[in-house]
Amino acid sequence: MSFNDLPLASALLDAVQQEGYTEPTPVQAQAIPTILEGHDVLAGAQTGTGKTAAFTLPMLHLLQSRSSQAPVRALVLTPTRELAAQVQESVETYGKHLDLTSTVVFGGVGLN
């Protein structure tokens, strides 16, 4: 299976390809189609197995395909600042060809 076999927007596939990824990891291959079908997913896997992309890619796909004027359309909560920064980096990397904006907010730190 390749990323091109997944039902993701071409802008996301371009970004994934630019990062040098050709084949989804097992967690990505299982989670991405399931999320895009509207199902909830709970996945546990070791560090470095692609869990962040497994949820950010379908999230970005759904956000770009549904118009909305809501100021906040998705919220990702993480237990640590490091993980929040990692998720933000993934959103920026995979969403670089999309007309979406994102930000990361840490507890105990001013919004500015």
Side-chain angles (χ1 to χ4, degrees), residues 23-101:
E23 295 181 10
T25 66
V27 71
Q28 293 165 350
Q30 292 175 349
I32 291 171
T34 303
I35 294 169
L36 291 175
E37 290 171 359
H39 301 284
D40 293 334
V41 172
L42 178 61
Q46 293 181 353
T47 299
T49 57
K51 294 181 300 292
T52 303
F55 76 85
T56 56
L57 286 168
M59 177 183 69
L60 290 168
H61 175 88
L62 293 170
L63 288 171
Q64 66 84 34
S65 67
R66 298 177 182 163
S67 64
S68 174
Q69 298 301 316
V72 176
R73 296 177 51 207
L75 176 65
V76 178
L77 300 175
T78 66
T80 65
R81 292 178 182 196
E82 293 80 11
L83 186 54
Q86 176 188 331
V87 170
Q88 172 65 11
E89 183 178 319
S90 292
V91 168
E92 289 175 353
T93 298
Y94 301 132
K96 64 184 168 188
H97 302 300
L98 302 176
D99 187 24
L100 297 172
T101 58

